């Protein structure tokens, strides 16, 4: 559903991402891994519109991988969207979230700390509520249609709070929740924005093994029950190997491997990148890994 | 409130000893500063004149102050009892708010009954109307600063736009106040959007500087565009607000004759009081309503974390512009009322001090809190007016003493103490806009102040 092609991002003299291409298939959990500084978060920021890529194309379509010819035709035109295909590099961040329906979480949690957990999930449903409030006029007079929309939003938020076991803390400030709960709340908030692709930046960072297991279950549930595809950056290899259908490995801004967890585990260049061995010793490392 | 036994924290003798020590120190400190005064004698040489009574006064004040502090109950640890006390204090606060609102409604009538038409004029005009204008301005700025977290140092510009809109429309075209009021609001909102566009990408200090400059630009344009605004001289004889077409003038066509009352200027002031009260309450109701709508939640979310807002599909550009526009609109309403009340506007009414006062009201009240802002407006505007009534101090310090000179010093001192005591303002907690179980206050520690 997401096709990244020859994506490059340059910051001054630093080439953070260098000609990266990969696909995210619909219904898959795709993991983006690599050593620190490999450019994973930069790729995320390009996909979600927080950075404008220097070169490259990012095509998103909710209906699964789009026809390459249709993407080319759209690229030649000046528009951002046609027949359900969005060219993300042409869109500002909030439109990517709204129209292309790509939601994300952040490496350093970005909850609205001074708002309650419930409010966080209601803010995420800004678009449908805004539409129901009709330029705030229906909301100001308390029209029944707006009340109904608000109740539906509250229902949905309550449902998500129940799923992440935070129903009893719904009215507490998000900033007062324990770290693991904040991580889950941020994922629930992104889900309330009604995405088709959810991008998670290190969702398991700082979680203990039990919380990691809960997280894995939550991510599986998101994929299976809501049909939302997932793209995640993660350093915790046990989580990555357990839930990913497809792994893309980055090092120094380039893709060094792309495949199923089993393939990645056996890939010598991945092992070399992670262990930091000189090229001439790669063979030795691979031999060791296979034995 | 739970009572605290004095004996529990400190024996009386220790408190007395401590107070005596502080008294001695105060006296010693006062010796070179207060007790010795150098005066030139007939041959123009300085001689020291002792003023022992002043030194004694300082020592006694230090003693009494320290003793009073020791008698006050100490800070209690947080317990169930404290929680109960907190609930009780919240109930007391609610009762106080209801009482305050009632008092505000009957204030002019109360003063009128107590002091008669002659004496009541000052108390309704200076203490009533003046404070309510600032309450309204504070509530308007609260949308921008308190909810959206955008630091605006040029808010007075919109007040000026509203005032000049009414002044120009009424003097040039004879338009009535009730038609000009929405026009002034719309024009101010338009200028709010105009200010909003260039500052969209700015944050924090930079935003503050640009809004400050905008306020000054408006004022300087008003001074220099004399063909339209009559420059520094201002616009005089602006038609006053009428009671739905009935002017407050003596004679058969006036308000008083229509209702068969004897003519009195107090009727106009009472009418103005209720008019600004209604305008302020409309501002308050609209803000409280907006806070519970998606747009209001987006403002607060913007204050908390702008990047997260964008990741959720919220158009931060539009969100900021609506905050600027709505805040400016209420400022414009207040400005139109100001012009109709004074009958005269000039650029000197809209200098930076006004912006600073309004911002001080919002910060002192607690950003985002409506009741806090109202209380702060009463404290700052009413308090600094009250300090004009310090003539009794002449009996203490002699006839040469001019108490009004100390007015702003005392206001400043009070604000410094307030911001030390409650750095987040009178009301630091935030009420959630929607709740599932019980409505819980959110502590000020979690609420962000916005980075512009």
């Amino acid at each position: 559903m997401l096709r990244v092609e020859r994506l490059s991002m340059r910051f001054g003299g630093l080439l953070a991402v260098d000609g990266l291409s990969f696909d995210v298939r619909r219904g898959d959990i795709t993991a983006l891994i690599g050593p620190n500084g490999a450019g994973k978060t930069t790729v995320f920021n390009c996909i979600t519109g927080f950075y404008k890529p220097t070169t490259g194309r990012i095509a998103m379509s909710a209906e699964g991988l789009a026809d390459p010819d249709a993407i080319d035709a759209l690229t030649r035109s000046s528009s951002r969207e046609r027949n359900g295909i969005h060219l993300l590099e042409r869109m500002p961040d909030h439109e990517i979230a709204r129209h292309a329906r790509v939601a994300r979480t952040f490496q350093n949690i970005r909850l609205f700390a001074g708002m309650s957990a419930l409010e966080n999930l209601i803010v995420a449903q800004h678009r449908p509520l805004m539409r129901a409030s009709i330029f705030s006029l229906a909301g100001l007079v308390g029209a029944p249609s707006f009340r109904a929309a608000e109740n539906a939003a509250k229902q949905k938020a309550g449902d998500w709070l129940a799923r992440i076991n935070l129903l009893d803390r719904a009215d507490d400030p998000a900033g007062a929740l324990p770290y693991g709960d904040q991580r889950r709340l941020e994922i629930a908030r992104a889900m309330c924005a009604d995405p088709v692709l959810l991008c998670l930046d290190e969702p398991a960072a700082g979680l203990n093994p039990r919380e990691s297991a809960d997280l894995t279950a939550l991510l599986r549930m998101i994929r299976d029950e809501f049909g939302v595809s997932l793209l995640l950056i993660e350093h915790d290899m046990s989580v990555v190997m357990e839930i990913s259908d497809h792994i893309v490995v980055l090092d120094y801004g380039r893709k060094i491997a792309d495949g199923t967890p089993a393939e990645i585990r056996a890939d010598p260049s991945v092992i070399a990148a992670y262990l930091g061995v000189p090229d001439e010793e790669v063979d030795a490392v691979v031999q060791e890994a296979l034995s | 409130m739970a009572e605290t036994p004095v004996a529990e924290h400190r024996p009386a003798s220790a408190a007395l000893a401590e107070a005596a020590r502080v008294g001695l120190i105060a006296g010693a400190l006062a010796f070179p500063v207060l007790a010795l005064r150098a005066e030139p004698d007939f041959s123009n040489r300085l001689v020291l004149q002792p003023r022992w009574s002043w030194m004694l006064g300082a020592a006694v004040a230090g003693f009494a102050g320290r003793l009073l502090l020791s008698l006050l109950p100490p800070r209690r640890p947080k317990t169930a009892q404290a929680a109960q006390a907190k609930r009780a204090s919240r109930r007391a606060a609610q009762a106080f708010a209801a009482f305050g609102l009632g008092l505000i409604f009957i204030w002019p009538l109360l003063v009128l009954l107590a002091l008669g038409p002659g004496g009541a004029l000052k108390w309704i005009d200076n203490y009533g109307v003046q404070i309510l204008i600032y309450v309204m301005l504070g509530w308007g700025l609260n949308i921008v600063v308190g909810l959206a977290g955008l630091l605006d140092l040029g808010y007075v510009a919109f007040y000026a736009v509203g005032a000049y809109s009414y002044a120009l429309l009424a003097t040039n075209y004879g338009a009535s106040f009730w038609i000009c009021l929405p026009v002034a609001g719309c024009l101010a909102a338009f200028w709010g959007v105009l200010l909003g566009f260039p500052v969209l990408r700015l944050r924090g200090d930079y935003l503050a500087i640009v809004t400050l400059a905008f306020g000054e630009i408006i004022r300087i344009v008003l001074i220099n565009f004399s063909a339209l605004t009559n420059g520094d001289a201002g616009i005089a004889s602006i038609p006053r607000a009428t009671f739905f077409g009935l002017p407050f003038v003596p004679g058969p066509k006036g308000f008083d004759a229509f209702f068969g009352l004897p003519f009195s200027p107090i009727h106009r002031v009472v009418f103005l009081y209720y008019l600004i009260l209604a305008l302020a309450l409309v501002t308050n109701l609209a803000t409280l309503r907006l806070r519970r709508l998606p747009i209001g939640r987006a403002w607060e979310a913007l204050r908390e974390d702008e990047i997260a807002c964008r990741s959720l599909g919220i158009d931060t550009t539009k969100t900021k512009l609506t905050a600027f526009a709505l805040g400016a609109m209420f400022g414009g309403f207040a400005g139109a009322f100001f012009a109709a009340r004074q009958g005269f506007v000039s650029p000197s009414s809209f200098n930076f001090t006004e912006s600073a006062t309004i911002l001080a009201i919002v910060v002192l009240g607690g950003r985002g809190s409506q009741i806090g802002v109202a209380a702060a407006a009463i404290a700052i505007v009413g308090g600094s007016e009250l300090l004009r009534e310090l003539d009794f101090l002449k009996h203490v310090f002699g006839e040469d003493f001019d108490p009004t000179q100390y007015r702003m010093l005392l206001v400043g001192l009070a604000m410094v103490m307030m911001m030390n005591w409650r750095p987040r303002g009178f009301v630091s907690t935030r009420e959630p806009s929607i709740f599932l179980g019980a409505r819980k206050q959110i502590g000020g520690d979690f609420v962000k102040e916005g980075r512009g």
Side-chain angles (χ1 to χ4, degrees):
Chain A
M1 67 188 330
L2 181 76
R3 170 158 281 177
V4 177
E5 288 170 284
R6 295 188 297 283
L7 180 75
S8 292
M9 182 76 210
R10 183 181 283 282
F11 297 106
L14 174 78
L15 194 59
V17 180
D18 183 7
L20 174 71
S21 304
F22 67 92
D23 289 339
V24 174
R25 280 184 297 273
R26 188 169 172 210
D28 267 7
I29 296 180
T30 306
L32 197 58
I33 64 170
N36 285 326
K40 304 177 299 286
T41 299
T42 306
V43 172
F44 253 46
N45 284 340
C46 289
I47 292 172
T48 51
F50 284 86
Y51 292 158
K52 270 252 164 305
T54 316
T55 57
R57 181 167 72 181
I58 308 167
M60 167 81 199
S61 115
E63 304 303 322
L65 272 185
D67 172 22
D69 293 338
I71 301 178
D72 283 342
L74 177 60
T75 311
R76 277 192 298 276
S77 75
S78 61
S79 53
R80 297 164 171 178
E81 187 271 331
R82 187 183 292 166
N83 301 331
I85 308 171
H86 292 85
L87 284 182
L88 302 190
E89 80 276 8
R90 295 183 178 178
M91 298 165 75
D93 41 24
H94 62 91
E95 286 191 8
I96 289 178
R98 193 191 315 165
H99 298 303
R101 294 169 68 195
V102 178
R104 71 168 292 178
T105 65
F106 297 86
Q107 197 172 349
N108 46 341
I109 303 173
R110 284 185 174 277
L111 284 169
F112 305 123
M115 303 174 88
S116 69
L118 178 72
E119 280 181 302
N120 268 275
L121 301 189
I122 300 276
V123 169
Q125 303 176 56
H126 182 71
R127 296 307 302 170
L129 281 174
M130 206 61 190
R131 215 170 302 130
S133 81
I134 318 176
F135 301 110
S136 299
L137 290 176
L140 271 180
V141 299
S145 64
F146 175 71
R147 291 242 179 94
E150 196 179 50
N151 278 334
K154 207 167 154 180
Q155 197 81 46
K156 185 172 175 181
D159 180 44
W160 271 103
L161 284 170
R163 281 173 195 275
I164 58 172
N165 287 328
L166 282 179
L167 199 53
D168 52 334
R169 304 212 58 179
D171 300 311
D172 287 337
L177 297 175
Y179 187 81
D181 290 350
Q182 291 197 12
R183 281 253 173 242
R184 290 208 308 279
L185 182 62
E186 201 190 19
I187 294 172
R189 185 181 70 178
M191 281 306 295
C192 279
D194 197 21
V196 290
L197 174 65
L198 179 60
C199 300
L200 305 165
D201 198 344
E202 297 198 22
L207 300 189
N208 64 33
R210 200 178 141 185
E211 287 173 326
S212 282
D214 286 350
L215 177 83
T216 320
L218 175 67
L219 296 187
R220 282 226 175 84
M221 184 269 284
I222 286 173
R223 196 240 334 240
D224 298 338
E225 262 186 58
F226 292 87
V228 172
S229 316
L230 290 138
L231 174 63
L232 58 118
I233 294 177
E234 190 48 70
H235 279 300
D236 186 337
M237 281 307 137
S238 60
V239 172
V240 170
M241 293 299 167
E242 193 190 335
I243 62 169
S244 305
D245 303 303
H246 175 206
I247 297 175
V248 178
V249 190
L250 283 187
D251 193 22
Y252 294 111
R254 292 180 186 200
K255 183 165 85 173
I256 57 170
D258 186 344
T260 62
E263 287 165 8
I264 295 298
R265 206 177 273 141
D267 192 312
S269 52
V270 176
I271 300 165
Y274 266 89
L275 297 181
V277 262
D279 289 346
E280 55 266 26
E281 289 174 28
V282 166
D283 285 343
V285 173
V286 173
Q287 287 304 319
E288 207 176 300
L290 292 178
S291 62
Chain B
M1 297 291 265
E3 82 273 33
T4 337
V6 178
E8 187 184 289
H9 53 96
R10 185 181 280 250
S13 59
L16 271 175
E18 171 75 19
R21 215 158 55 89
V22 172
L24 272 180
I25 293 172
L29 283 176
F31 174 71
V33 186
L34 293 176
L36 299 177
R37 185 180 164 90
E39 289 249 15
D41 64 1
F42 296 112
S43 52
N44 219 7
R45 264 187 310 207
L46 290 176
V47 289
L48 288 176
Q49 283 186 342
R51 291 191 298 190
W52 302 118
S53 60
W54 286 51
M55 188 180 125
L56 194 68
V60 168
F63 176 80
R66 186 67 192 91
L67 196 65
L68 204 68
L69 271 182
S70 346
L71 291 180
L72 285 178
R75 294 197 173 183
R76 283 185 298 276
K78 281 187 179 172
T79 53
Q81 203 183 13
Q84 202 179 6
K86 210 169 158 187
R87 266 198 300 280
S89 75
R90 189 176 306 157
R91 265 200 303 276
Q94 277 168 357
F96 181 75
F99 171 76
L101 199 64
L103 185 68
I104 286 166
F105 266 104
I106 59 162
W107 173 251
L109 308 176
L110 209 65
V111 177
L112 214 51
L113 275 180
L115 299 173
L121 192 65
K122 180 182 89 180
W123 289 94
I124 301 176
D125 202 29
N126 290 2
Y127 290 87
V129 179
Q130 184 77 3
I131 290 174
L132 283 173
I133 289 179
Y134 280 95
V135 169
M136 181 163 174
L137 288 170
W139 278 340
L141 185 62
N142 200 16
I143 295 177
V144 184
V145 176
L147 296 183
L150 304 161
L151 186 55
D152 185 351
L153 290 180
Y155 190 64
V156 78
F158 310 118
Y159 188 40
V161 168
Y164 270 83
S165 306
Y166 173 65
L168 290 170
L169 287 172
T171 48
N172 292 338
Y173 302 105
S176 94
F177 176 74
W178 296 104
I179 292 170
C180 290
L181 188 68
V183 175
C186 289
L187 280 172
F190 169 74
W191 282 97
V193 172
L194 224 55
L195 163 70
F197 268 113
V199 304
L200 279 172
R201 290 166 180 281
L202 303 178
R203 300 164 144 265
D205 307 349
Y206 305 101
L207 176 75
I209 291 168
V210 175
T211 51
L212 171 67
F214 181 79
E216 287 300 289
I217 289 170
I218 293 273
R219 190 174 65 87
I220 290 167
V221 166
L222 289 178
I223 292 175
N224 289 304
F225 194 2
S226 21
L228 182 71
T229 63
N230 201 20
D232 260 328
I235 301 171
S237 58
I238 302 166
R240 305 299 187 97
T242 57
F243 186 79
F244 302 102
L246 289 172
F248 290 91
V249 290
K253 282 184 181 169
F255 167 85
D256 307 77
F258 186 83
F259 288 99
L261 299 163
F263 175 75
S264 163
I266 198 87
H267 294 155
R268 193 176 69 82
V269 177
V270 172
F271 165 69
L272 285 177
Y273 180 92
Y274 282 110
L275 178 58
I276 185 67
L277 181 60
L279 285 174
L281 286 180
V282 165
T283 310
N284 183 32
L285 284 180
T287 311
L288 286 179
R289 258 292 172 34
L290 283 168
R291 252 200 87 210
R292 290 181 170 76
L293 293 184
I295 182 72
R297 288 199 198 99
W299 288 337
E300 291 204 81
L302 189 69
R303 178 193 66 203
E304 297 288 323
D305 196 320
E306 181 173 347
I307 288 178
C309 276
R310 297 211 303 252
S311 82
L312 295 172
I314 295 174
D315 187 343
T316 49
T317 306
K318 275 188 205 154
T319 309
K320 284 184 188 177
L321 286 181
T322 48
F324 269 119
L326 277 163
M329 185 180 80
F330 290 121
F333 287 152
F337 172 83
F338 173 78
R341 172 208 178 205
Q342 301 288 91
F344 168 72
V345 288
S346 83
S348 61
S349 310
F350 308 107
N351 51 26
F352 173 66
T353 324
E354 292 295 301
S355 289
T357 308
I358 304 165
L359 187 66
I361 286 172
V362 175
V363 173
L364 181 68
R367 301 170 193 200
S369 157
Q370 295 291 99
I371 186 96
V373 167
I378 294 171
I380 289 187
V381 183
S384 64
E385 286 290 320
L386 260 184
L387 288 174
R388 289 183 200 279
E389 322 275 328
L390 290 176
D391 277 346
F392 69 90
L393 284 178
K394 284 191 176 178
H395 301 301
V396 183
F397 294 105
E399 278 303 309
D400 299 338
F401 183 78
D402 184 7
T404 50
Q405 289 190 343
Y406 292 84
R407 194 166 68 94
M408 290 332 266
L409 184 74
L410 291 175
V411 172
L413 198 65
M415 282 202 67
V416 169
M417 279 164 60
M418 265 311 297
M419 291 330 280
N420 264 313
W421 176 49
R422 304 212 75 163
R424 299 193 64 114
F426 289 148
V427 183
S428 58
T429 55
R430 172 181 174 274
E431 188 152 295
S433 60
I434 191 167
F435 58 96
L436 211 57
R439 189 183 287 271
K440 286 183 200 166
Q441 300 288 323
I442 290 178
D445 310 345
F446 296 112
V447 182
K448 296 223 173 57
E449 295 178 353
R451 298 208 304 119

